Amino acid sequence: MRRSTEHPRPRLGVFKFASCDGCQLQLLNLETDLLPLLERIELVHFLEASSRAEPEGPFDVALVEGSVTTPGDAERILRIRERTTRLVTIGACATSGGIQALRNLADVEEWKSHVYPHPEWIETLATSTPISDHVKVDVEIQGCPVNKEQVLRVLVRLLLGAGADLPSASVCLECKRQGNPCVLVTRGIPCLGPVTRAGCGAICPSLGRDCYGCFGPAAEPNVASLMRQLEALGLPRADAVRRLRHLNGWRREFREAADALEGRGTERG
Ligand code: SF4
Ligand code: SF4
């Protein structure tokens, strides 16, 4: 990245929208691995880690966690985008709308009336949507939470002017590389690994349990085919739908497959 005399070091901002903070924590969980990076960049805005707060930037790279759920969010992300060279979304909330996107299939006003004693005080949108629905996103790092080494690698590559180089294959690839017996083939356990993006290191299958899709869809996943196979193995349709409408349920690939299983039309293109 080209440097100015005013800002000789690359400037990083980290922002939170509707989220649990888990992906920002993954960044902090890098611990001493983060220190060499911090010597080479200027950490301009990261409220979870620093009292320095300059939300107006400008930023060479902005990491954005969380989904857009309020009118204020929708305005704030536009301002961040205007002042950022490379905008990177981190985690299922930011890349898919997150678990809170369950509201997209519900009546938010009705839910508010059940949850809050004073629903009239709550200012919210009817939907929870990924950042890419609102502004151009340069890189999406999927996962709930994200893989911390993956975030560090992407950050370093971007700051060096390279591309992000994220995996597009499925969890099965990582699972097979680790020599795991396949829980789907050997035990008939419904595993979402064939349609889920690699990057977690196949943690769940390595522990003898099924992948539940927390990294969101792999590139061009054949979700309908997998769900037919899981149903043939005895997974009830309602459970198949629940598996897809989970942390990444609003991501188009999972949403359309869940809609098809439920016999719904897709809500958006
Ligand atoms: S993607 Fe998961 S870990 Fe990250 S902020 Fe959202 S809920 Fe938390
Ligand atoms: S256990 Fe799951 S992730 Fe591993 S190879 Fe089988 S289907 Fe793929």
Side-chain angles (χ1 to χ4, degrees):
M1 282 172 184
R2 198 180 318 145
R3 308 259 37 90
S4 67
T5 46
E6 191 187 351
H7 301 301
R9 288 190 290 163
R11 290 164 60 88
L12 174 69
V14 183
F15 294 91
K16 170 186 165 65
F17 285 75
S19 60
C20 81
D21 288 39
C23 290
Q24 292 180 81
L25 275 177
Q26 282 293 81
L27 198 56
L28 294 176
N29 284 342
L30 283 164
E31 298 181 343
T32 51
D33 287 342
L34 201 51
L35 299 180
L37 178 71
L38 293 176
E39 286 170 5
R40 291 166 174 79
I41 64 165
E42 198 179 344
L43 187 58
V44 178
H45 184 87
F46 185 4
L47 294 182
E48 192 155 308
S50 165
S51 53
R52 183 174 178 183
E54 295 179 27
E56 299 306 322
F59 308 101
D60 293 287
V61 176
L63 298 180
V64 179
E65 174 198 84
S67 62
V68 172
T69 61
T70 67
D73 288 346
E75 285 173 22
R76 188 159 61 97
I77 192 60
L78 295 178
R79 287 205 306 279
I80 293 169
R81 176 69 271 189
E82 279 169 8
R83 292 159 186 276
T84 298
T85 306
R86 308 294 297 275
L87 190 147
V88 180
T89 48
I90 54 170
C93 298
T95 59
S96 302
I99 194 76
Q100 56 272 31
L102 283 170
R103 72 158 74 160
N104 299 356
L105 299 171
D107 180 341
V108 168
E109 293 307 315
E110 188 195 338
W111 279 20
K112 270 165 56 178
S113 71
H114 292 306
V115 173
Y116 299 101
H118 290 286
E120 69 277 12
W121 293 354
I122 306 298
E123 189 180 5
T124 187
L125 297 170
T127 54
S128 165
T129 43
I131 299 297
S132 60
D133 277 12
H134 300 265
V135 295
K136 175 176 173 283
V137 171
D138 298 295
V139 180
E140 290 191 316
I141 307 179
Q142 296 176 199
C144 181
V146 283
N147 175 319
K148 61 183 182 179
E149 282 86 14
Q150 211 170 49
V151 176
L152 182 61
R153 181 177 159 82
V154 168
L155 262 180
V156 169
R157 287 183 64 93
L158 293 184
L159 293 170
L160 289 172
D165 190 28
L166 286 164
S168 58
S170 74
V171 171
C172 289
L173 192 75
E174 292 182 314
C175 190
K176 292 289 93 187
R177 278 188 183 142
Q178 296 191 21
N180 296 327
C182 175
V183 300
L184 177 59
V185 172
T186 60
R187 292 159 57 201
I189 297 176
C191 182
L192 289 187
V195 296
T196 300
R197 190 169 293 261
C200 64
I203 298 172
C204 295
S206 300
L207 294 170
R209 56 154 294 173
D210 49 300
C211 164
Y212 59 94
C214 70
F215 264 58
E220 300 180 33
N222 192 340
V223 187
S225 173
L226 176 65
M227 298 326 277
R228 272 197 302 278
Q229 181 63 22
L230 299 188
E231 284 195 296
L233 287 169
L235 184 70
R237 176 149 304 194
D239 289 354
V241 170
R242 266 195 289 274
R243 293 203 144 227
L244 294 172
R245 295 204 194 284
H246 194 216
L247 301 165
N248 291 281
W250 197 244
R251 189 85 174 192
R252 181 183 58 78
E253 296 90 335
F254 286 179
R255 186 181 70 243
E256 288 181 356
D259 287 346
L261 288 172
E262 282 192 320
R264 290 179 189 244
T266 53
E267 280 78 3
R268 59 173 200 174

